[in-house]
Short mmCIF file of all heavy atoms in Angstrom, two decimals:
data_model
loop_
_atom_site.label_atom_id
_atom_site.label_comp_id
_atom_site.label_asym_id
_atom_site.label_seq_id
_atom_site.Cartn_x
_atom_site.Cartn_y
_atom_site.Cartn_z
N ILE S 187 5.10 -10.83 -6.78
CA ILE S 187 5.02 -11.02 -5.41
C ILE S 187 4.13 -12.29 -5.17
O ILE S 187 3.12 -12.44 -5.83
CB ILE S 187 4.41 -9.78 -4.63
CG1 ILE S 187 5.30 -8.59 -4.77
CG2 ILE S 187 4.26 -10.16 -3.17
CD1 ILE S 187 4.68 -7.31 -4.23
N LEU S 215 9.87 -10.68 1.03
CA LEU S 215 9.40 -9.26 0.78
C LEU S 215 9.56 -8.40 2.03
O LEU S 215 8.97 -8.80 3.10
CB LEU S 215 7.90 -9.30 0.31
CG LEU S 215 7.42 -7.89 -0.20
CD1 LEU S 215 8.14 -7.45 -1.38
CD2 LEU S 215 5.93 -7.97 -0.34
N THR S 216 10.33 -7.36 1.92
CA THR S 216 10.55 -6.46 3.01
C THR S 216 10.29 -4.97 2.75
O THR S 216 9.88 -4.22 3.53
CB THR S 216 11.96 -6.51 3.62
OG1 THR S 216 12.88 -6.23 2.57
CG2 THR S 216 12.31 -7.86 4.26
N PHE S 217 10.42 -4.69 1.41
CA PHE S 217 10.11 -3.39 1.03
C PHE S 217 9.67 -3.38 -0.54
O PHE S 217 10.31 -3.99 -1.36
CB PHE S 217 11.38 -2.40 1.05
CG PHE S 217 11.14 -0.94 0.75
CD1 PHE S 217 10.66 -0.06 1.79
CD2 PHE S 217 11.48 -0.50 -0.55
CE1 PHE S 217 10.48 1.22 1.48
CE2 PHE S 217 11.28 0.88 -0.89
CZ PHE S 217 10.62 1.72 0.21
N PHE S 218 8.46 -2.69 -0.81
CA PHE S 218 8.04 -2.68 -2.22
C PHE S 218 7.17 -1.42 -2.41
O PHE S 218 6.20 -1.29 -1.74
CB PHE S 218 7.28 -4.06 -2.49
CG PHE S 218 6.88 -4.22 -3.92
CD1 PHE S 218 7.86 -4.60 -4.76
CD2 PHE S 218 5.55 -4.08 -4.32
CE1 PHE S 218 7.47 -4.89 -6.02
CE2 PHE S 218 5.17 -4.32 -5.58
CZ PHE S 218 6.11 -4.67 -6.58
N LEU S 219 7.49 -0.71 -3.43
CA LEU S 219 6.73 0.48 -3.84
C LEU S 219 6.48 1.45 -2.70
O LEU S 219 5.25 1.79 -2.55
CB LEU S 219 5.39 -0.01 -4.45
CG LEU S 219 5.59 -0.78 -5.85
CD1 LEU S 219 4.24 -1.15 -6.39
CD2 LEU S 219 6.28 0.15 -6.96
N GLY S 220 7.42 1.59 -1.78
CA GLY S 220 7.08 2.54 -0.74
C GLY S 220 6.62 1.90 0.55
O GLY S 220 6.38 2.51 1.52
N LEU S 221 6.17 0.57 0.39
CA LEU S 221 5.55 -0.10 1.50
C LEU S 221 6.73 -0.96 2.27
O LEU S 221 7.46 -1.69 1.56
CB LEU S 221 4.60 -1.13 1.03
CG LEU S 221 3.18 -0.45 0.59
CD1 LEU S 221 2.40 -1.58 -0.19
CD2 LEU S 221 2.37 0.07 1.70
N GLN S 222 6.73 -0.81 3.54
CA GLN S 222 7.73 -1.60 4.29
C GLN S 222 6.93 -2.79 5.01
O GLN S 222 5.93 -2.49 5.63
CB GLN S 222 8.37 -0.70 5.41
CG GLN S 222 9.19 0.35 4.78
CD GLN S 222 9.42 1.59 5.78
OE1 GLN S 222 8.88 2.65 5.68
NE2 GLN S 222 10.26 1.35 6.83
N ILE S 223 7.42 -3.89 4.79
CA ILE S 223 6.73 -5.19 5.17
C ILE S 223 7.68 -5.89 6.18
O ILE S 223 8.66 -6.14 5.90
CB ILE S 223 6.32 -6.05 4.07
CG1 ILE S 223 5.33 -5.39 3.14
CG2 ILE S 223 5.69 -7.30 4.65
CD1 ILE S 223 5.85 -4.71 1.98
N LYS S 224 7.21 -6.23 7.44
CA LYS S 224 7.88 -6.89 8.43
C LYS S 224 6.99 -8.14 8.80
O LYS S 224 5.98 -8.03 9.29
CB LYS S 224 8.27 -6.06 9.55
CG LYS S 224 9.14 -6.73 10.53
CD LYS S 224 9.58 -5.84 11.67
CE LYS S 224 10.57 -6.56 12.55
NZ LYS S 224 11.05 -5.65 13.65
N GLN S 225 7.56 -9.34 8.42
CA GLN S 225 6.84 -10.49 8.66
C GLN S 225 7.36 -11.21 9.87
O GLN S 225 8.47 -11.47 9.91
CB GLN S 225 6.92 -11.46 7.49
CG GLN S 225 6.42 -10.71 6.25
CD GLN S 225 6.53 -11.67 4.93
OE1 GLN S 225 5.78 -12.64 4.89
NE2 GLN S 225 7.25 -11.27 3.96
N MET S 226 6.37 -11.44 10.84
CA MET S 226 6.63 -12.09 12.14
C MET S 226 5.88 -13.29 12.32
O MET S 226 4.92 -13.55 11.58
CB MET S 226 6.68 -11.00 13.17
CG MET S 226 7.41 -9.72 13.01
SD MET S 226 7.30 -8.52 14.12
CE MET S 226 8.16 -9.36 15.56
N GLY S 229 2.10 -12.25 12.76
CA GLY S 229 1.41 -11.58 11.75
C GLY S 229 2.35 -10.70 10.80
O GLY S 229 3.51 -10.92 10.95
N ILE S 230 1.74 -9.89 10.05
CA ILE S 230 2.52 -9.09 9.08
C ILE S 230 2.27 -7.62 9.36
O ILE S 230 1.08 -7.21 9.42
CB ILE S 230 2.10 -9.41 7.59
CG1 ILE S 230 2.39 -10.88 7.21
CG2 ILE S 230 2.86 -8.49 6.74
CD1 ILE S 230 1.73 -11.19 5.95
N PHE S 231 3.41 -6.89 9.63
CA PHE S 231 3.34 -5.47 9.86
C PHE S 231 3.62 -4.72 8.55
O PHE S 231 4.63 -4.92 7.87
CB PHE S 231 4.37 -4.97 10.86
CG PHE S 231 3.97 -5.43 12.25
CD1 PHE S 231 4.53 -6.72 12.83
CD2 PHE S 231 3.23 -4.72 13.10
CE1 PHE S 231 4.23 -7.09 14.06
CE2 PHE S 231 2.96 -5.13 14.36
CZ PHE S 231 3.40 -6.29 14.85
N ILE S 232 2.74 -3.66 8.21
CA ILE S 232 2.98 -2.89 7.05
C ILE S 232 2.91 -1.39 7.37
O ILE S 232 2.20 -0.90 8.20
CB ILE S 232 1.75 -3.20 5.96
CG1 ILE S 232 1.67 -4.58 5.53
CG2 ILE S 232 1.90 -2.27 4.80
CD1 ILE S 232 0.52 -5.02 4.82
N SER S 233 3.91 -0.71 6.81
CA SER S 233 4.06 0.76 7.16
C SER S 233 4.65 1.43 5.99
O SER S 233 5.12 0.83 4.99
CB SER S 233 4.94 0.88 8.39
OG SER S 233 6.30 0.65 8.02
N GLN S 234 4.60 2.78 6.01
CA GLN S 234 5.21 3.67 4.87
C GLN S 234 5.86 4.80 5.68
O GLN S 234 5.96 5.88 5.23
CB GLN S 234 4.11 4.26 4.02
CG GLN S 234 3.43 3.23 3.14
CD GLN S 234 2.30 3.76 2.29
OE1 GLN S 234 1.28 3.96 2.90
NE2 GLN S 234 2.52 4.02 1.12
N SER S 235 6.59 4.46 6.68
CA SER S 235 7.46 5.48 7.47
C SER S 235 8.44 6.17 6.60
O SER S 235 8.58 7.34 6.77
CB SER S 235 7.97 4.94 8.69
OG SER S 235 8.76 3.85 8.37
N LYS S 236 9.21 5.34 5.75
CA LYS S 236 10.25 6.02 5.06
C LYS S 236 9.61 6.97 4.00
O LYS S 236 10.01 8.10 3.79
CB LYS S 236 11.08 4.87 4.34
CG LYS S 236 12.20 5.31 3.47
CD LYS S 236 12.96 4.16 2.90
CE LYS S 236 14.18 4.60 2.21
NZ LYS S 236 13.89 5.41 1.03
N TYR S 237 8.54 6.45 3.31
CA TYR S 237 7.92 7.34 2.37
C TYR S 237 7.31 8.57 3.04
O TYR S 237 7.36 9.62 2.54
CB TYR S 237 6.70 6.60 1.77
CG TYR S 237 5.86 7.25 0.83
CD1 TYR S 237 6.23 7.50 -0.54
CD2 TYR S 237 4.62 7.89 1.28
CE1 TYR S 237 5.41 8.20 -1.48
CE2 TYR S 237 3.81 8.57 0.38
CZ TYR S 237 4.23 8.73 -0.88
OH TYR S 237 3.38 9.44 -1.80
N TYR S 286 -1.40 8.17 -1.95
CA TYR S 286 -0.61 7.03 -2.04
C TYR S 286 -0.34 6.47 -0.62
O TYR S 286 -0.40 5.30 -0.31
CB TYR S 286 0.64 7.12 -2.78
CG TYR S 286 1.47 5.82 -2.92
CD1 TYR S 286 0.87 4.84 -3.77
CD2 TYR S 286 2.60 5.61 -2.20
CE1 TYR S 286 1.57 3.65 -3.90
CE2 TYR S 286 3.24 4.40 -2.37
CZ TYR S 286 2.74 3.49 -3.19
OH TYR S 286 3.39 2.29 -3.30
N LEU S 287 -0.15 7.47 0.36
CA LEU S 287 0.04 7.08 1.78
C LEU S 287 -1.09 6.47 2.43
O LEU S 287 -0.90 5.64 3.43
CB LEU S 287 0.52 8.39 2.48
CG LEU S 287 1.04 8.17 3.96
CD1 LEU S 287 2.31 7.30 3.96
CD2 LEU S 287 1.30 9.64 4.50
N THR S 288 -2.30 6.69 1.93
CA THR S 288 -3.50 6.10 2.57
C THR S 288 -3.47 4.49 2.34
O THR S 288 -4.33 3.81 2.96
CB THR S 288 -4.78 6.67 1.95
OG1 THR S 288 -4.76 6.36 0.57
CG2 THR S 288 -4.88 8.11 2.28
N ALA S 289 -2.57 3.97 1.52
CA ALA S 289 -2.43 2.60 1.45
C ALA S 289 -2.20 1.87 2.71
O ALA S 289 -2.68 0.74 2.95
CB ALA S 289 -1.39 2.24 0.43
N SER S 290 -1.62 2.65 3.66
CA SER S 290 -1.29 1.94 5.08
C SER S 290 -1.74 2.82 6.10
O SER S 290 -1.72 2.53 7.26
CB SER S 290 0.22 1.67 5.11
OG SER S 290 0.94 2.89 5.25
N ARG S 291 -2.25 4.18 5.75
CA ARG S 291 -2.59 4.97 6.82
C ARG S 291 -4.07 5.33 6.61
O ARG S 291 -4.49 6.37 6.11
CB ARG S 291 -1.78 6.32 6.65
CG ARG S 291 -0.24 6.18 7.05
CD ARG S 291 -0.08 5.74 8.50
NE ARG S 291 -0.56 6.54 9.35
CZ ARG S 291 0.17 7.68 9.90
NH1 ARG S 291 1.40 7.74 9.57
NH2 ARG S 291 -0.51 8.42 10.63
N LEU S 292 -4.87 4.45 7.09
CA LEU S 292 -6.33 4.64 7.00
C LEU S 292 -6.80 5.84 7.95
O LEU S 292 -7.85 6.34 7.71
CB LEU S 292 -7.05 3.39 7.51
CG LEU S 292 -6.69 2.09 6.67
CD1 LEU S 292 -7.44 0.87 7.18
CD2 LEU S 292 -6.87 2.26 5.19
N ASP S 293 -5.96 6.15 8.90
CA ASP S 293 -6.31 7.26 9.88
C ASP S 293 -6.38 8.60 9.14
O ASP S 293 -6.98 9.50 9.73
CB ASP S 293 -5.46 7.28 10.99
CG ASP S 293 -3.93 7.40 10.65
OD1 ASP S 293 -3.59 6.79 9.49
OD2 ASP S 293 -3.06 7.82 11.40
N THR S 326 3.47 11.16 13.73
CA THR S 326 2.97 9.66 13.55
C THR S 326 3.65 8.99 12.45
O THR S 326 3.01 8.04 11.90
CB THR S 326 1.47 9.69 13.41
OG1 THR S 326 1.11 10.41 12.25
CG2 THR S 326 0.74 10.32 14.56
N THR S 327 4.82 9.39 12.12
CA THR S 327 5.51 8.75 10.94
C THR S 327 5.76 7.29 11.14
O THR S 327 5.90 6.41 10.19
CB THR S 327 6.91 9.31 10.70
OG1 THR S 327 7.63 9.27 11.91
CG2 THR S 327 6.79 10.87 10.34
N LYS S 328 5.95 6.85 12.42
CA LYS S 328 6.17 5.31 12.69
C LYS S 328 4.94 4.49 12.77
O LYS S 328 5.01 3.24 13.05
CB LYS S 328 6.97 5.22 13.99
CG LYS S 328 8.35 5.86 13.83
CD LYS S 328 9.21 5.71 15.11
CE LYS S 328 10.70 6.23 14.93
NZ LYS S 328 11.34 6.12 16.15
N CYS S 329 3.75 5.01 12.57
CA CYS S 329 2.51 4.32 12.68
C CYS S 329 2.56 3.09 11.56
O CYS S 329 2.98 3.37 10.51
CB CYS S 329 1.31 5.21 12.44
SG CYS S 329 0.81 6.07 13.84
N ARG S 330 2.00 2.07 11.99
CA ARG S 330 1.90 0.91 11.05
C ARG S 330 0.66 0.08 11.41
O ARG S 330 0.08 0.22 12.53
CB ARG S 330 3.14 -0.03 11.15
CG ARG S 330 3.29 -0.51 12.56
CD ARG S 330 4.71 -1.31 12.62
NE ARG S 330 4.87 -1.94 13.95
CZ ARG S 330 5.96 -2.77 14.24
NH1 ARG S 330 6.68 -3.11 13.33
NH2 ARG S 330 6.06 -3.18 15.36
N PHE S 331 0.16 -0.72 10.44
CA PHE S 331 -0.89 -1.56 10.78
C PHE S 331 -0.49 -2.98 10.69
O PHE S 331 0.45 -3.37 9.99
CB PHE S 331 -2.11 -1.29 10.06
CG PHE S 331 -2.05 -1.75 8.50
CD1 PHE S 331 -2.48 -2.95 8.25
CD2 PHE S 331 -1.79 -0.87 7.56
CE1 PHE S 331 -2.56 -3.44 7.00
CE2 PHE S 331 -1.76 -1.28 6.24
CZ PHE S 331 -2.15 -2.59 5.88
N MET S 332 -1.22 -3.85 11.40
CA MET S 332 -0.82 -5.30 11.49
C MET S 332 -2.00 -6.18 10.95
O MET S 332 -3.09 -6.02 11.38
CB MET S 332 -0.39 -5.69 12.87
CG MET S 332 -0.18 -7.09 13.16
SD MET S 332 0.04 -7.68 14.82
CE MET S 332 0.52 -9.30 14.72
N VAL S 333 -1.61 -7.11 10.13
CA VAL S 333 -2.54 -8.24 9.74
C VAL S 333 -2.09 -9.36 10.49
O VAL S 333 -0.99 -10.04 10.38
CB VAL S 333 -2.43 -8.54 8.28
CG1 VAL S 333 -3.46 -9.51 7.79
CG2 VAL S 333 -2.57 -7.21 7.41
N SER S 334 -2.82 -9.69 11.61
CA SER S 334 -2.44 -10.73 12.46
C SER S 334 -2.72 -12.14 11.94
O SER S 334 -3.48 -12.25 10.97
CB SER S 334 -3.31 -10.65 13.87
OG SER S 334 -4.68 -10.86 13.61
N SER S 337 -6.35 -13.05 12.13
CA SER S 337 -7.34 -12.55 11.28
C SER S 337 -7.08 -13.13 9.91
O SER S 337 -7.98 -13.33 9.09
CB SER S 337 -7.11 -10.96 11.09
OG SER S 337 -5.84 -10.63 10.62
N LEU S 338 -5.75 -13.43 9.54
CA LEU S 338 -5.59 -14.11 8.32
C LEU S 338 -6.15 -15.46 8.27
O LEU S 338 -6.79 -15.91 7.24
CB LEU S 338 -4.01 -14.25 8.05
CG LEU S 338 -3.31 -13.03 7.73
CD1 LEU S 338 -1.80 -13.36 7.73
CD2 LEU S 338 -3.63 -12.66 6.24
N PHE S 347 1.98 -17.95 6.71
CA PHE S 347 1.99 -17.21 5.48
C PHE S 347 3.17 -16.40 5.32
O PHE S 347 3.64 -15.59 6.11
CB PHE S 347 0.68 -16.37 5.37
CG PHE S 347 0.47 -15.83 4.06
CD1 PHE S 347 -0.28 -16.54 3.01
CD2 PHE S 347 0.83 -14.56 3.64
CE1 PHE S 347 -0.51 -16.02 1.72
CE2 PHE S 347 0.64 -13.91 2.45
CZ PHE S 347 -0.10 -14.75 1.53
N LEU S 349 5.32 -13.85 2.31
CA LEU S 349 5.36 -13.13 0.95
C LEU S 349 6.75 -13.04 0.44
O LEU S 349 7.75 -12.79 1.23
CB LEU S 349 4.88 -11.71 1.13
CG LEU S 349 3.33 -11.48 1.51
CD1 LEU S 349 3.11 -9.99 1.69
CD2 LEU S 349 2.52 -12.05 0.33
#
Side-chain angles (χ1 to χ4, degrees):
I187 298 173
L215 186 67
T216 56
F217 187 83
F218 189 72
L219 296 176
L221 288 169
Q222 294 160 255
I223 298 95
K224 187 172 184 179
Q225 303 181 65
M226 303 178 72
I230 301 172
F231 289 92
I232 300 174
S233 72
Q234 288 175 282
S235 58
K236 185 175 183 294
Y237 175 84
Y286 187 69
L287 188 59
T288 60
S290 69
R291 294 296 300 269
L292 304 182
D293 53 333
T326 59
T327 54
K328 294 182 179 180
C329 277
R330 59 184 182 173
F331 75 85
M332 176 188 184
V333 182
S334 69
S337 66
L338 284 171
F347 191 82
L349 293 171

